[in-house]
Amino acid sequence: MTGTNQKRRAASAKVTDMPLNMRKTPHGYQYRRVVPEDVRAQIGKREFKKSLGKDFLKAKSLLAALEVESNAAIDRARVAAENGRSIESYLKRSPDARLKSISGSSPDLAGKLSALYLAGLDVDLENRRKQVMNDDDFQALEENVSDMLPRINRALATGNVTAFFPVIQTLLLGRGYVLDATQEEMQLLTYGVLEHIQA
């Protein structure tokens, strides 16, 4: 009789101690959590739902892990939505308002741009190390790298660096700047960047 009472108390404790987002079904326990309306489109569903099994204590343990996962998914979706709104807002502005103007004669601009270019190469190299490259990809990369230094050397030796103007402009655009420079300033800036990269 005492054992039966303990079982009844344990069963009623389970019902009253039922954590938020846990439901009892005829097949065991289930995790069910409504996805907040503001992130449903990003997450792609209205509800997080998963079977937790029949053991109450194991179900509670699984539920805790699922709560952490769903909180993280909601947080990521909110950040993505906020970033999307920021980008949309940014793109709605006129091109003149989007980009800051920077003078071609700004001190140490050549050093900063070359550092930015080299940092981009480091990231690209690290990404390539993580991927398995086939022979054709490796050959193309090797040719590109071996071709670049002679082109830089030739441009510096001749003083004709105009072929690299688009590289400078792209580096600045990537940071939200448009270059305000005379032809001579552009020439000097590009020459300085290439000298840094060569070194």
Side-chain angles (χ1 to χ4, degrees):
M1 195 74 144
T2 307
T4 307
N5 287 338
Q6 284 178 340
K7 285 182 184 177
R8 274 195 209 125
R9 271 184 264 135
S12 68
K14 286 179 186 176
V15 172
T16 57
D17 292 347
M18 188 79 70
L20 185 66
N21 300 324
M22 182 189 271
R23 306 284 181 272
K24 176 86 170 105
T25 71
H27 306 290
Y29 297 95
Q30 192 175 63
Y31 176 66
R32 295 187 71 172
R33 179 177 180 179
V34 174
V35 175
E37 207 168 313
D38 64 317
V39 292
R40 281 184 191 161
Q42 285 82 10
I43 291 178
K45 55 185 169 187
R46 296 178 56 80
E47 185 178 45
F48 295 106
K49 187 175 176 181
K50 186 161 178 140
S51 174
L52 300 173
K54 294 183 177 184
D55 183 278
F56 180 70
L57 294 178
K58 285 182 184 174
K60 275 178 76 172
S61 178
L62 284 171
L63 175 116
L66 288 170
E67 281 288 275
V68 169
E69 284 177 27
S70 60
N71 282 335
I74 290 166
D75 289 344
R76 281 192 306 271
R78 285 194 171 128
V79 167
E82 183 57 39
N83 287 343
R85 284 191 292 275
S86 297
I87 290 168
E88 285 172 22
S89 168
Y90 174 76
L91 292 175
K92 284 178 185 173
R93 292 163 53 194
S94 71
D96 293 337
R98 277 188 237 154
L99 299 172
K100 297 175 192 159
S101 181
I102 191 166
S103 171
S105 61
S106 296
D108 199 33
L109 184 57
K112 290 175 183 174
L113 286 174
S114 60
L116 182 61
Y117 177 78
L118 293 171
L121 288 181
D122 287 343
V123 169
D124 184 50
L125 183 61
E126 187 59 34
N127 288 338
R128 288 173 191 273
R129 280 189 185 134
K130 292 177 185 173
Q131 299 171 3
V132 177
M133 295 177 76
N134 64 35
D135 289 339
D136 291 339
D137 289 340
F138 186 78
Q139 181 71 28
L141 176 63
E142 192 174 47
E143 287 171 8
N144 188 25
V145 169
S146 62
D147 179 49
M148 187 55 68
L149 191 56
R151 286 179 61 207
I152 291 172
N153 291 341
R154 189 168 38 256
L156 288 172
T158 63
N160 183 7
V161 296
T162 55
F164 292 93
F165 285 5
V167 175
I168 302 300
Q169 291 163 337
T170 302
L171 286 170
L172 287 166
L173 279 173
R175 291 292 185 184
Y177 290 100
V178 65
L179 188 62
D180 178 19
T182 65
Q183 185 72 16
E184 186 181 343
E185 287 173 334
M186 187 68 179
Q187 179 82 13
L188 288 170
L189 174 63
T190 306
Y191 195 90
V193 170
L194 293 180
E195 277 187 318
H196 282 287
I197 292 170
Q198 183 191 48

